[in-house]
Amino acid sequence: MSETYAFGIDVGGTTIKHGLFNGKGELLESWEIPTRTEENGKNILPDIAASIRGKMKEKSITAADVKGVGIGVPGPVLEGGIVNSCVNLGWGVVDVQEELSKALEGIPVEVGNDANVAALGECWKGAGRGYKNMIMVTLGTGVGGGVIINGRILPGSHGAGGEIGHITVNKHEEDACNCGKKGCLEQYASANGLVRMTRKTLARKHGQTKLVDDETLTSRLIFDLAKQGDVVAKQCVEDMCETLGETLAQVAAVVDPEAFVIGGGVSKAGTIVTDTVKKYYLPAAFHACRNVIFKLAELGNDAGMYGAVRMVLQK
Amino acid sequence: MSETYAFGIDVGGTTIKHGLFNGKGELLESWEIPTRTEENGKNILPDIAASIRGKMKEKSITAADVKGVGIGVPGPVLEGGIVNSCVNLGWGVVDVQEELSKALEGIPVEVGNDANVAALGECWKGAGRGYKNMIMVTLGTGVGGGVIINGRILPGSHGAGGEIGHITVNKHEEDACNCGKKGCLEQYASANGLVRMTRKTLARKHGQTKLVDDETLTSRLIFDLAKQGDVVAKQCVEDMCETLGETLAQVAAVVDPEAFVIGGGVSKAGTIVTDTVKKYYLPAAFHACRNVIFKLAELGNDAGMYGAVRMVLQK
């Protein structure tokens, strides 16, 4: 029998990452194509299918050689691989599993939410290696989350498994989250959330600081100044990590993981993130959940591609 | 081939419920024995084994006819069926799976935490029938919880899966929970929690009420008076259900269930519990998690016996 292959696809708002893997899960090649979001993103699935077919032709791979295509998309995924609205792609309800499989001679397709798929990738080949039960938190513009139980994604009944960015952490918040609620974790612990809360601090009476409330204010700058000892920046980082650590303690009481992996742009600040989050996690966690690992993500933007193919290989 | 059988055992602090089931999961007979907690509960497993052996002899069932024994215990259960301390039974670390199996000619044994096992029972034969992803909340002296994903218990890495009674809901609480933390859900939403909070209300300036802070004050009385229109009792019930509903909304953002089943002594108050909890759940929940069912548990004290045998039958 000839070698088997699988593809892992990660669909982002600007580019689509593709990975060709062998049946053992080794990455053979990766490439990107742009995400064409015009006309409600109607070209996205045909573009992916064409890209996969092109690679198959180039490598003389037949459909029978391909175990499947795994794909991560930025939206809620329902049972059967149906995606229920991806704002960033212009999609409404799209049957990704059926449409993509049809365009690929019936090659099986597995679909997952991008944050969940990234969590699976980190669990399989990244910072979560060796842990069966793991939670990944992605601190980017928003806060994404993925829950891995027994090495598999917990997708949820409405595609909202691991939506920890929308846990309410402050019922007295007056500003609204993008989701419409008020006081979501994402409003405090994302890059935007940190900037938002730092602006509020700067608008109040505060100590001496190099932080200025103008367009230069970014989460990266706040972390950089915190590391340099800027007292106000340090306090803003502490506040953010306190909110996140305490919230993860509540999450732990529900799913009791072995490890938390923190990724996304904000995590590039390094172990200051994991160390500070863990400091606030420990006293807030149920005693049985305190023996838990906090690690920085390792796969960066490739996590989704790895997790996507993993969905196929673990079928 | 002769018919197959399985046993479901639910170990409580005062009695141990036994159920004999056929291979189709139909209950053939149930009975109880007392829980002998003296001498660190060293008689408990031998008593259960003797009781099972006696029933097998009575019915002429051989070990080869028994698919397995499922057992729920009031403590954290680690991988491999090892129980890590059951205070109510006097147990430290006990390898329940191995010890009980050894005493039963090698019949396979499955061990689960009692709250998790009750959740599985309700999911299989009770209020959660038809739902694959379900959360059961047991409102008794404390608050127990069980998370069912894809029809199976989520046990957690340290046996703490579904410990939602120990989610922190008020970080400013000054009284300590039994677990050592302060501000756990259990301190507000259990029978004891409702009484505790009602006492605080009665100690403050309050409206006219039939409630009196003496030994007659129970969660049942508070619910009864609330149903009769007692304004103070009503407010105490509202406060309790608000705390519970908002907390379940946060739990939903993690595991995204189809249904919440509420059981335990407090739930005997009836649909006032599910209706009021849902009223506070809905605005607090992430939009994708709002289409969820709230039901009262149906199996009462038999839930554990059913869930215990289910662990065996679904192997």
Side-chain angles (χ1 to χ4, degrees):
Chain A
M1 193 192 151
S2 56
E3 199 178 4
T4 61
Y5 297 90
F7 289 89
I9 315 289
D10 186 21
V11 184
T14 48
T15 60
I16 304 171
K17 289 184 86 92
H18 293 60
L20 170 64
F21 295 76
N22 65 19
K24 283 179 275 185
E26 290 161 343
L27 178 66
L28 304 177
E29 203 172 315
S30 69
W31 68 99
E32 291 183 10
I33 62 173
T35 311
R36 293 199 287 153
T37 55
E38 64 270 19
E39 295 181 82
N40 294 323
K42 74 175 181 130
N43 298 306
I44 293 174
L45 291 179
D47 284 354
I48 293 169
S51 176
I52 290 175
R53 282 197 307 264
K55 186 60 65 182
M56 286 168 64
K57 196 168 173 192
E58 177 195 326
K59 303 272 184 189
S60 303
I61 299 170
T62 68
D65 298 329
V66 181
K67 191 167 182 214
V69 173
I71 178 169
V73 297
V77 179
L78 308 179
E79 216 166 347
I82 295 169
V83 173
N84 186 11
S85 161
C86 291
V87 180
N88 292 344
L89 306 184
W91 286 0
V93 175
V94 178
D95 190 337
V96 175
Q97 189 168 67
E98 189 178 301
E99 285 188 30
L100 190 56
S101 182
K102 211 185 246 176
L104 289 168
E105 302 173 61
I107 292 174
V109 171
E110 293 293 324
V111 192
N113 165 269
D114 57 355
N116 291 349
V117 164
L120 182 61
E122 287 288 342
C123 185
W124 182 42
K125 294 272 192 184
R129 276 190 318 278
Y131 304 109
K132 290 191 311 181
N133 301 317
M134 192 206 87
I135 290 171
M136 180 162 174
V137 187
T138 304
L139 306 176
T141 326
V143 173
V147 178
I148 304 298
I149 302 294
N150 246 330
R152 290 172 182 274
I153 290 170
L154 192 163
S157 303
H158 316 85
E163 279 288 2
I164 63 178
H166 299 288
I167 290 179
T168 303
V169 298
N170 175 14
K171 63 186 278 190
H172 307 295
E173 176 65 57
E174 292 179 358
D175 297 343
C177 179
N178 286 330
C179 80
K181 287 202 304 161
K182 288 176 180 172
C184 291
L185 176 63
E186 175 161 305
Q187 294 180 272
Y188 305 85
S190 62
N192 285 351
L194 176 58
V195 169
R196 184 182 82 96
M197 295 308 288
T198 301
R199 290 220 154 97
K200 287 188 187 255
T201 300
L202 293 176
R204 289 195 303 264
K205 193 170 171 332
H206 59 80
Q208 214 177 1
T209 178
K210 287 191 180 150
L211 292 169
V212 182
D213 181 1
D214 61 18
E215 69 286 349
T216 67
L217 189 66
T218 62
S219 72
R220 186 177 165 169
L221 178 69
I222 299 163
F223 268 99
D224 283 347
L225 290 176
K227 288 185 208 169
Q228 290 165 28
D230 185 291
V231 177
V232 174
K234 262 172 93 168
Q235 191 55 52
C236 292
V237 164
E238 289 283 327
D239 290 348
M240 169 192 162
C241 292
E242 179 177 5
T243 302
L244 181 55
E246 289 178 354
T247 306
L248 295 184
Q250 314 325 321
V251 173
V254 183
V255 296
D256 184 16
E258 297 162 275
F260 285 101
V261 171
I262 302 184
V266 175
S267 73
K268 290 190 181 142
T271 50
I272 183 175
V273 180
T274 40
D275 290 349
T276 316
V277 170
K278 187 170 185 176
K279 180 174 84 180
Y280 289 102
Y281 170 89
L282 285 176
F286 184 53
H287 55 77
C289 303
R290 284 178 197 152
N291 181 19
V292 67
I293 304 290
F294 281 82
K295 287 180 82 176
L296 291 169
E298 293 175 1
L299 300 179
N301 291 331
D302 288 346
M305 196 174 68
Y306 278 99
V309 80
R310 178 63 176 158
M311 292 191 294
V312 169
L313 296 174
Q314 74 181 178
K315 270 307 265 191
Chain B
M1 193 190 150
S2 57
E3 198 177 5
T4 60
Y5 298 90
F7 290 89
I9 314 289
D10 185 22
V11 184
T14 49
T15 60
I16 303 171
K17 289 185 86 91
H18 292 59
L20 171 63
F21 295 78
N22 64 19
K24 283 179 275 185
E26 290 161 344
L27 179 66
L28 304 176
E29 204 173 312
S30 69
W31 68 99
E32 290 183 10
I33 62 172
T35 311
R36 293 199 287 152
T37 54
E38 64 269 20
E39 295 180 82
N40 294 324
K42 73 177 182 130
N43 298 306
I44 294 173
L45 291 179
D47 284 355
I48 293 169
S51 174
I52 290 175
R53 281 196 308 264
K55 187 59 64 182
M56 287 168 64
K57 196 168 173 190
E58 178 194 325
K59 303 274 182 185
S60 301
I61 297 171
T62 68
D65 298 331
V66 181
K67 189 166 183 215
V69 174
I71 177 168
V73 298
V77 179
L78 307 180
E79 215 166 348
I82 295 169
V83 173
N84 186 14
S85 162
C86 291
V87 179
N88 293 345
L89 306 183
W91 286 0
V93 175
V94 178
D95 190 337
V96 174
Q97 190 169 68
E98 188 178 302
E99 285 187 31
L100 190 56
S101 182
K102 211 185 245 176
L104 289 168
E105 302 173 62
I107 291 174
V109 171
E110 292 293 324
V111 192
N113 165 269
D114 58 355
N116 291 349
V117 163
L120 182 61
E122 286 288 344
C123 185
W124 182 42
K125 294 272 193 184
R129 275 189 320 278
Y131 304 109
K132 290 190 312 180
N133 300 318
M134 191 207 87
I135 290 172
M136 178 162 175
V137 186
T138 305
L139 306 177
T141 328
V143 173
V147 177
I148 304 298
I149 302 294
N150 244 330
R152 291 172 181 273
I153 290 169
L154 191 162
S157 304
H158 316 87
E163 280 288 0
I164 64 178
H166 299 289
I167 289 179
T168 304
V169 298
N170 175 13
K171 62 186 280 190
H172 307 294
E173 176 64 56
E174 291 179 358
D175 297 343
C177 178
N178 286 331
C179 80
K181 285 201 304 158
K182 288 178 179 170
C184 290
L185 176 64
E186 176 160 305
Q187 294 181 272
Y188 305 85
S190 63
N192 286 352
L194 176 59
V195 169
R196 183 181 82 95
M197 295 308 289
T198 301
R199 290 221 154 97
K200 287 187 189 255
T201 299
L202 294 175
R204 290 195 302 264
K205 191 170 175 328
H206 59 79
Q208 214 176 3
T209 178
K210 286 188 179 153
L211 291 169
V212 182
D213 180 0
D214 61 17
E215 68 287 348
T216 66
L217 188 67
T218 62
S219 73
R220 185 178 165 167
L221 178 69
I222 299 163
F223 269 99
D224 283 347
L225 290 176
K227 288 185 209 169
Q228 290 164 29
D230 185 291
V231 177
V232 174
K234 262 173 92 168
Q235 191 55 53
C236 292
V237 164
E238 289 282 327
D239 290 347
M240 171 192 159
C241 293
E242 179 177 5
T243 301
L244 182 54
E246 290 179 352
T247 306
L248 295 183
Q250 313 326 320
V251 172
V254 183
V255 297
D256 184 16
E258 294 163 275
F260 285 101
V261 172
I262 301 184
V266 175
S267 73
K268 291 188 181 143
T271 50
I272 182 176
V273 180
T274 39
D275 290 348
T276 317
V277 170
K278 186 169 186 177
K279 179 175 82 179
Y280 290 102
Y281 170 88
L282 284 177
F286 184 53
H287 55 79
C289 303
R290 284 179 196 151
N291 182 19
V292 68
I293 305 290
F294 281 82
K295 287 181 80 175
L296 292 168
E298 293 174 1
L299 300 179
N301 292 330
D302 288 345
M305 198 174 66
Y306 278 98
V309 81
R310 179 63 177 159
M311 290 191 293
V312 169
L313 296 174
Q314 75 181 178
K315 270 306 266 192

